[in-house]
Amino acid sequence: MAARKGTQRRRPQSPGRRLKTAMSREARAATSFIPDNPVLYDDLSVREHLAYIASLHGVDASEDELHSLIDAIGLAPRADDLPARFSRGLRQKAAIAVGLVRPFGLLLVDEPFVGLDVQGREALLDLLDHAHAIGAAIVVVNVAPFAPAVGARL
């Protein structure tokens, strides 16, 4: 049977390929990534970012849970502000919170300490400690001089 004009014929997938695709989706769903260059929506506040990302991943986070994460990373006074107006360090904190608000079994973190002040670094280390304690695998790529502190704590 010939394909109609403007349509493509799809080859049937083998059972092995379907399984591989399903496993790949599961792996992506279980992985959270915190990039070195924060990617945030210009028109969402920190609180709105967290609520949105949580809901995309099926998490029904309460206001108290969101506030707890916002407070832990040190953004409570800026929770309703737009990250587009933030310094590099505040944007990094917002990106960290976004990466942590969703469920994950694997957390990939690229240069998380760039732009963070001492309190932000400590807050991040505490949050990474917590994620590790509840069973997450964490991979941190870091070239900053305080990188050994990450390995020593996790």
Side-chain angles (χ1 to χ4, degrees):
M1 172 193 297
R4 290 191 294 204
K5 187 176 182 178
T7 63
Q8 294 180 345
R9 289 184 63 184
R10 289 184 56 153
R11 289 185 179 167
Q13 286 187 347
S14 69
R17 176 130 175 105
R18 283 192 299 268
L19 178 61
K20 183 178 177 183
T21 300
M23 290 171 56
S24 176
R25 284 187 190 125
E26 289 174 13
R28 285 189 309 246
T31 303
S32 187
F33 175 61
I34 300 173
D36 66 329
N37 187 17
V39 179
L40 302 163
Y41 294 102
D42 290 339
D43 57 347
L44 293 180
S45 70
V46 173
R47 187 181 319 278
E48 290 167 335
H49 269 94
L50 298 184
Y52 178 64
I53 297 301
S55 69
L56 283 178
H57 292 278
V59 176
D60 187 20
S62 69
E63 281 295 318
D64 288 341
E65 291 169 318
L66 295 178
H67 182 75
S68 177
L69 179 56
I70 291 167
D71 191 43
I73 197 65
L75 285 174
R78 306 293 301 269
D80 296 311
D81 293 345
L82 301 177
R85 297 190 173 107
F86 285 0
S87 67
R88 172 70 167 99
L90 291 178
R91 289 178 57 78
Q92 186 66 22
K93 287 180 178 184
I96 291 165
V98 167
L100 295 173
V101 75
R102 53 159 295 183
F104 57 88
L106 172 62
L107 179 62
L108 303 174
V109 191
D110 187 16
E111 295 289 342
F113 299 101
V114 174
L116 293 182
D117 57 12
V118 174
Q119 293 85 5
R121 291 178 195 150
E122 283 301 314
L124 173 59
L125 288 171
D126 289 344
L127 289 165
L128 293 178
D129 282 343
H130 176 71
H132 183 257
I134 60 174
I138 301 171
V139 177
V140 178
V141 175
N142 199 35
V143 294
F146 39 84
V150 177
R153 288 184 61 163
L154 298 180

